[in-house]
Amino acid sequence: MYFGGDYNPEQWPEDVWLEDVRLMREAKVNLATVGVFSWARLEPSAGVCDFGWLDRVMDLLHDNDIQVNLATPTACPPPWFGLAHPDAMPVRADGTRLTHGSRDTYCVNAPAYRVASRRIATALAERYGAHPATAMWHVHNEYGTTCHCDHCATAFRAWLRDRHKSLDALNDAWTTAFWSQHYSAWEQIMPPRTTQYRSNPAHLLDYRRFCSDALLSHYREQRDILRVHGRQPVTTNYVMAGWTPLDHWKWSAEVDLVGIDHYTDEPGDGGLAQVAFAADLARSWARGKPWLLMEQGVAAMYVPDGTLPLEPGEHTRRSLEYVARGATGVLHFQWRASQGGAEQWHQGMVPHAGADSRVFREIADLGRTLSALPPAEPAEAEVAILWDDEAAWALRNPALPVAGLDFRASVEQVHRGLWQRGLATDFVHPSHDISRYRVVLMPSLYLISDEAVANLTAYVEGGGALIVSYFSGIADPDTRVRLGGYPGALRDLLGVRVEEFRPLTGPVALSDGTAGAFWSESVQLTGATATVTYADGGPAVTWHQVGAGAAWYVSTKLDASGLANVLAQAGL
Ligand code: GAL
């Protein structure tokens, strides 16, 4: 069981390092993530490296039985890099080119950035690949930075050629007949830069897919360099936020273990539900590989524009919940709270007050507790929720029937309902083999492929229970609406047909005594039976027997009791 966090010794004089390792030992820290933001110290000018300080840190940690999760520092290029290669600084959709001064100032498609990334990764791999302290490689930090520059435009066009093969196919997939967007040469296609009014949703979706692949190729390049010089597992840390353009199923096949950074923003039970959600996702993405909590806040919640302290003991409880759901370690951002810099007000395992503090005492207690625990065997889940980043991105389309349709929010609501009932839950991709689950839930999975529909149909025919909620199965993989009545791809499986959506402005009463909210539909039964109705008698929840199984359709946003009723109908 790993315990520790980001360790940034370059922010401190060397005498503090001695206190660090003494306190790390006291807190049973056994893994320190080092070097995440150290590029400027490691390579003070182009091609000239200074490893002396890192040699001393690595040796010191090793002498104290603390292993190192050694980072490549490519998330934070030094000032000299941006000045030498202004074309490698990221460009926002509105054309603003960013300058050095914060972090994540790079374009992953800029050739100079790729050269510099390979050079520093190679230098680190050669020097520390055989160092006894190196236990793991942490490539980059929180991949997710996107750019809209000309390098991206070139790379995007190559990616599009590969995906669509011909301009005709692209024009068709993007419905460029709308608003005079027909492309007559590849060179006319740009990243989705700021434009007069709404952008084309298919263009936006392909750009996110492209960004995921472009970032992944940067990761792979470094991983392969690191593997030449060391045998340690290689990974990176995912941001558990809705904005990231990462296809986590695809990425997780490329990492040796899944690492997540997770910052809760609710107190009490809400925070515990968030922990369960993130941990279940990480374990599911890992698909049998280990997973690790690479960062969490230290005894704090991250609320918009600041942090709030957790109640005594809450941090420990949350940390243990990650472990119970399969985490092979609990790490934090960061070991020692910074004195200056942009994150000087983020709590550390050693706070500004020092080790004589409530926070350090709780951290040290937690370290001792974890050091005595064997890894947990998470309960085998009988329930799964469908997770697809592409479907989530498609629902970030700025022009939906109403605002507020949000894949992740719908998934979290359903996951919380299962969590409240004490049901172990996995996440699965719609094309995965799901036959072992008793019940599979599909909350607002807007976009779906024909292959995934066939997979889900076979699951139900074979005896599975599928619960589909509103605004699922609406679009094809190019975000085109599936015609003939909603929910296009799932009409046959669900035995329903919907001509019109009826979004709600307030709650509506349902026949089972619960309430629907946000969304409703005029549902026609084409084989299904209504199990819950709206006040006008129209079907709100339906049930359709298919082969040896059944599929439910939920046409509104149910409250907790409404969801519990449907789960009960499905045998949970
Ligand atoms: C993470 C990031 C850390 C630190 C932390 C606290 O997302 O990886 O470097 O910034 O948030 O804000």
Side-chain angles (χ1 to χ4, degrees):
M1 184 67 61
Y2 287 123
F3 183 65
D6 277 41
Y7 179 42
N8 298 305
E10 69 273 27
Q11 295 175 16
W12 300 95
E14 298 203 13
D15 55 328
V16 176
W17 301 0
L18 299 177
E19 190 194 37
D20 285 333
V21 288
R22 183 176 62 73
L23 293 176
M24 284 181 188
R25 291 184 74 112
E26 191 180 323
K28 300 273 186 215
V29 166
N30 58 11
L31 188 68
T33 305
V34 176
V36 178
F37 299 116
S38 306
W39 198 346
R41 286 290 304 273
L42 291 170
E43 193 180 356
S45 57
V48 179
C49 287
D50 170 12
F51 289 121
W53 67 274
L54 186 53
D55 290 350
R56 294 195 290 286
V57 169
M58 297 289 288
D59 292 348
L60 181 65
L61 290 169
H62 179 63
D63 292 345
N64 285 277
D65 295 327
I66 299 156
Q67 295 186 293
V68 175
N69 178 19
L70 190 56
T72 64
T74 49
C76 218
W80 60 256
F81 175 79
L83 293 172
H85 306 285
D87 65 301
M89 295 289 97
V91 175
R92 289 199 175 127
D94 69 0
T96 311
R97 189 178 288 282
L98 304 183
T99 47
H100 175 79
S102 178
R103 65 178 185 190
D104 295 298
T105 43
Y106 54 81
C107 165
V108 85
N109 295 304
Y113 175 69
R114 297 295 278 259
V115 168
S117 296
R118 287 194 294 269
R119 188 173 63 217
I120 189 68
T122 305
L124 282 163
E126 284 172 356
R127 192 157 189 106
Y128 301 109
H131 193 287
T134 311
M136 193 184 296
W137 290 105
H138 177 295
V139 175
H140 200 82
N141 190 61
E142 296 193 331
Y143 275 102
T145 301
T146 55
C147 172
H148 300 77
C149 74
D150 291 343
H151 293 305
C152 292
T154 306
F156 184 38
R157 290 174 200 134
W159 184 93
L160 288 169
R161 275 175 190 262
D162 193 45
R163 178 177 174 82
H164 295 285
K165 312 297 179 214
S166 75
L167 263 187
D168 283 348
L170 178 139
N171 278 308
D172 185 39
W174 286 15
T175 320
T176 56
F178 193 78
W179 282 352
S180 184
Q181 291 177 357
H182 183 89
Y183 295 104
S184 50
W186 291 98
E187 292 64 37
Q188 295 163 5
I189 304 174
M190 299 292 166
R193 294 175 178 160
T194 305
T195 184
Q196 160 64 14
Y197 187 44
R198 288 172 174 169
S199 299
N200 181 330
H203 185 184
L204 293 174
L205 177 59
D206 267 355
Y207 202 66
R208 282 179 181 266
R209 289 179 171 130
F210 157 73
C211 287
S212 178
D213 287 353
L215 294 165
L216 184 56
S217 77
H218 180 259
Y219 166 81
R220 271 201 209 112
E221 210 165 73
Q222 292 196 37
R223 178 201 62 194
D224 295 347
I225 289 168
L226 298 168
R227 279 188 180 159
V228 170
H229 300 278
R231 297 223 173 110
Q232 303 83 355
V234 185
T235 190
T236 187
N237 50 339
Y238 300 153
V239 195
M240 300 299 279
W243 54 264
T244 34
L246 260 55
D247 182 332
H248 292 92
W249 296 117
K250 219 176 191 182
W251 273 71
S252 300
E254 305 275 351
V255 296
D256 294 329
L257 59 105
V258 165
I260 61 162
D261 294 357
H262 188 230
Y263 292 86
T264 56
D265 62 10
E266 282 186 63
D269 277 1
L272 289 173
Q274 290 181 335
V275 168
F277 174 72
D280 288 349
L281 263 179
R283 188 188 61 252
S284 302
W285 287 334
R287 303 190 81 186
K289 294 181 204 171
W291 77 270
L292 178 61
L293 178 66
M294 202 73 95
E295 285 181 28
Q296 65 169 331
V298 180
M301 288 180 283
Y302 281 57
V303 293
D305 299 327
T307 54
L308 293 174
L310 295 179
E311 293 300 318
E314 263 195 290
H315 180 74
T316 301
R317 187 164 174 204
R318 289 170 184 213
S319 300
L320 292 174
E321 194 183 0
Y322 291 109
V323 172
R325 287 170 190 265
T328 51
V330 171
L331 309 185
H332 302 80
F333 179 85
Q334 60 178 331
W335 166 249
R336 192 180 272 278
S338 300
Q339 210 178 356
E343 293 196 327
Q344 68 193 132
W345 292 110
H346 289 255
Q347 185 61 284
M349 298 163 78
V350 181
H352 289 148
D356 183 11
S357 57
R358 178 187 73 78
V359 166
F360 182 73
R361 280 188 283 277
E362 184 168 337
I363 287 292
D365 273 351
L366 173 61
R368 286 188 285 269
T369 303
L370 289 177
S371 70
L373 279 185
E377 282 287 335
E380 186 95 338
E382 291 184 322
V383 185
I385 301 177
L386 297 180
W387 179 275
D388 181 359
D389 292 293
E390 293 199 353
W393 300 336
L395 213 41
R396 293 175 80 85
N397 175 344
L400 293 169
V402 289
L405 287 157
D406 182 329
F407 172 71
R408 180 172 165 143
S410 295
V411 170
E412 275 203 73
Q413 193 218 352
V414 166
H415 183 271
R416 195 169 287 205
L418 295 166
W419 178 80
Q420 279 159 344
R421 291 168 68 97
L423 292 166
T425 304
D426 286 344
F427 290 92
V428 288
H429 187 271
S431 64
H432 286 167
D433 176 5
I434 51 174
S435 52
R436 76 172 190 80
Y437 295 101
R438 266 178 63 202
V439 177
V440 172
L441 294 112
M442 182 199 274
S444 303
L445 194 93
Y446 172 59
L447 173 154
I448 197 164
S449 69
D450 294 344
E451 298 72 41
V453 174
N455 187 44
L456 297 171
T457 305
Y459 163 71
V460 177
E461 283 170 347
L466 179 70
I467 303 175
V468 176
S469 85
Y470 62 92
F471 222 56
S472 293
I474 300 291
D476 72 12
D478 294 308
T479 72
R480 288 175 298 203
V481 175
R482 291 173 177 275
L483 303 177
Y486 314 120
L490 303 169
R491 278 196 312 266
D492 292 347
L493 180 56
L494 296 171
V496 299
R497 178 169 179 269
V498 175
E499 287 178 31
E500 286 181 59
F501 299 136
R502 300 202 179 280
L504 300 170
T505 49
V508 291
L510 300 175
S511 60
D512 65 351
T514 66
F518 177 61
W519 190 265
S520 73
E521 295 172 358
S522 305
V523 179
Q524 298 163 28
L525 302 175
T526 56
T529 312
T531 61
V532 180
T533 54
Y534 293 106
D536 66 1
V541 179
T542 64
W543 171 83
H544 189 215
Q545 170 122 35
V546 180
W552 280 257
Y553 185 54
V554 178
S555 67
T556 183
K557 181 172 178 179
L558 298 174
D559 62 19
S561 341
L563 178 62
N565 289 347
V566 179
L567 294 174
Q569 287 175 27
L572 292 177

